[in-house]
Structure formats: C-alpha cells, structure tokens
Amino acid sequence: QKEVEQNSGPLSVPEGAIASLNCTYSDRGSQSFFWYRQYSGKSPELIMSIYSNGDKEDGRFTAQLNKASQYVSLLIRDSQPSDSATYLCAVNALSGGYNKLIFGAGTRLAVHP
Amino acid sequence: GAGVSQSPSNKVTEKGKDVELRCDPISGHTALYWYRQRLGQGLEFLIYFQGNSAPDKSGLPSDRFSAERTGESVSTLTIQRTQQEDSAVYLCASSLSPGLPGHEQFFGPGTRLTVL
C-alpha cells in the first residue's frame, strides 16, 4: 500500500512566524509532489508543485523535496491568520497502469494573532 | 469554463432514494476524478476517468455507487438507495492527463450530500 503520511496537528504558530509542514511518502518511484490548502468547508486548492530535489519558492511559500529521504515539506514565511487551514500533501504513484495522486490526511495549521 | 464546476452544491435526500451528482471538468482536461470527504476526514478516492473510460474504479465503496462520463466532458456520479453513511462532500477534480508532467489535479467546489 503506497502511503503519504502527515502529522494531523494542529500546528499552532504565532502570526509572523515560519510554519513548517512535513510529509513522508513510501513509494520511491514517486516523481511529482503537490501541496494543497483546504479551508474549512471549501475544496482543496493547489498551492505548490515540486518535481526535483531542493527548494522551490513562490512568494511566502517554499516547498522542499528530498527524494533520498522520501520527504517533502512546505514552509510558510510570515504566517498570517488567513493561512489557517488544512494542508494536504499529495504524491504521485504508479497504480493500475496510470499515475494517481495519493493524498495525505492533512495537517491543520492555526496561525494566531 | 474557468474551473471545475459541480452541481448541485447541496443535496438533502431521504434514506433509500437515488441521487445524481454532476461534474463539469476544465475544458481540455482528459482525466477526471471523484473523491469523497466525510466531515473532518481526508480525501477518499472513488473513481478515475481517462476520457470516457474508467481504468480505476477501485475506490467505489459498493455496487450502489456508479459513475459515467460523456467523452472528455461531464461526469455523473450516481448513488442508489442512499444510506446515512453516504453523507459527505463529494469532490470532483480534473487534470490535463494522468501522465507527467501536468497532472496537477484541480478541484471543483464539491457537492455536500446529506442523507436523512
């Protein structure tokens, strides 16, 4: 069973701090990694994708990938209360002859003023 | 359209009734996915379409659940003889293709189903 693991949280950080969200995956063949944000009562929204080892920055968000350690993370700099949401990690896996996305259960982030 | 659309946004039904949920993917997206999300839970994969064929139906929870897709367009998820445990948000997502790269999935707003 190919799995994606995330700490369920909640991860509580003060406004302005860096929030660090972590994800591990089991399939060494995975090549595509995504972070989705899901506000309460809303559908998941894609915020970052990363395909190669290292860091990828987009505004206040940085995705980090380490394929050797099977680890992907999301850093949110200068966290704002509006960042409070559940963050889903998704990893591709070859299954049944096609690439499907395996989603983690999500980490709930709470940014307090 | 600009994004994935789903209808209805909310559906309340009585136990034992059949329901149909509709998904309209992003134009040009060949791959379409249905997920279920129970309150406070993660995403549960139901079925994947490539064009109008469904190579992966492994997530459908029972034979009460079925889905179809017309070409590379609209998909309908049907739940027959609904049960209270079917209450959840049903999410549809689409992607350009299931291959690499470009298979980011984009989600619709979901249909909230309540079975009384």
Side-chain angles (χ1 to χ4, degrees):
Chain A
Q1 180 74 5
K2 296 168 184 177
E3 295 180 341
V4 176
E5 300 286 343
Q6 295 182 256
N7 188 318
S8 62
L11 174 65
S12 183
V13 300
E15 184 174 357
I18 295 175
S20 178
L21 304 162
N22 305 315
C23 172
T24 58
Y25 59 95
S26 63
D27 185 0
R28 286 199 167 272
S30 295
Q31 299 179 53
S32 302
F33 308 86
F34 306 94
W35 283 99
Y36 287 81
R37 178 176 63 199
Q38 187 174 25
Y39 291 116
S40 181
K42 301 294 186 182
S43 61
E45 172 193 11
L46 180 67
I47 55 171
M48 289 287 286
S49 58
I50 187 167
Y51 302 100
S52 54
N53 278 330
D55 294 0
K56 178 181 177 182
E57 186 174 318
D58 183 359
R60 296 186 296 112
F61 298 99
T62 298
Q64 299 176 317
L65 175 61
N66 184 326
K67 290 184 181 179
S69 300
Q70 295 175 244
Y71 177 94
V72 58
S73 64
L74 179 70
L75 302 179
I76 306 175
R77 288 182 300 282
D78 188 24
S79 295
Q80 301 297 308
S82 59
D83 295 326
S84 298
T86 296
Y87 289 80
L88 304 173
C89 174
V91 176
N92 87 289
L94 190 61
S95 175
Y98 79 101
N99 273 291
K100 70 189 296 184
L101 284 189
I102 309 296
F103 284 86
T107 297
R108 191 157 57 92
L109 173 66
V111 181
H112 53 86
Chain B
V4 179
S5 61
Q6 292 186 247
S7 62
S9 55
N10 279 285
K11 177 71 176 177
V12 180
T13 190
E14 293 179 349
K15 178 181 172 181
K17 301 280 190 182
D18 298 351
V19 296
E20 278 192 358
L21 312 180
R22 175 189 168 109
C23 172
D24 213 328
I26 293 171
S27 178
H29 280 195
T30 62
L32 186 148
Y33 311 81
W34 283 98
Y35 296 89
R36 179 169 70 179
Q37 189 172 37
R38 292 195 167 106
L39 187 63
Q41 303 296 311
L43 295 177
E44 179 184 1
F45 168 80
L46 297 179
I47 187 170
Y48 149 67
F49 284 94
Q50 176 61 28
N52 63 3
S53 67
D56 189 352
K57 307 178 184 179
S58 62
L60 294 178
S62 75
D63 59 7
R64 296 188 295 105
F65 287 73
S66 63
E68 62 179 27
R69 185 179 185 195
T70 307
E72 294 183 353
S73 184
V74 172
S75 175
T76 302
L77 177 68
T78 301
I79 309 173
Q80 295 179 309
R81 305 181 303 281
T82 51
Q83 303 295 312
Q84 288 182 332
E85 64 261 28
D86 299 334
S87 296
V89 175
Y90 289 81
L91 290 161
C92 175
S94 71
S95 68
L96 276 172
S97 78
L100 299 170
H103 66 274
E104 295 91 341
Q105 293 183 22
F106 298 92
F107 284 83
T111 294
R112 183 175 300 276
L113 175 66
T114 303
V115 182
L116 301 177

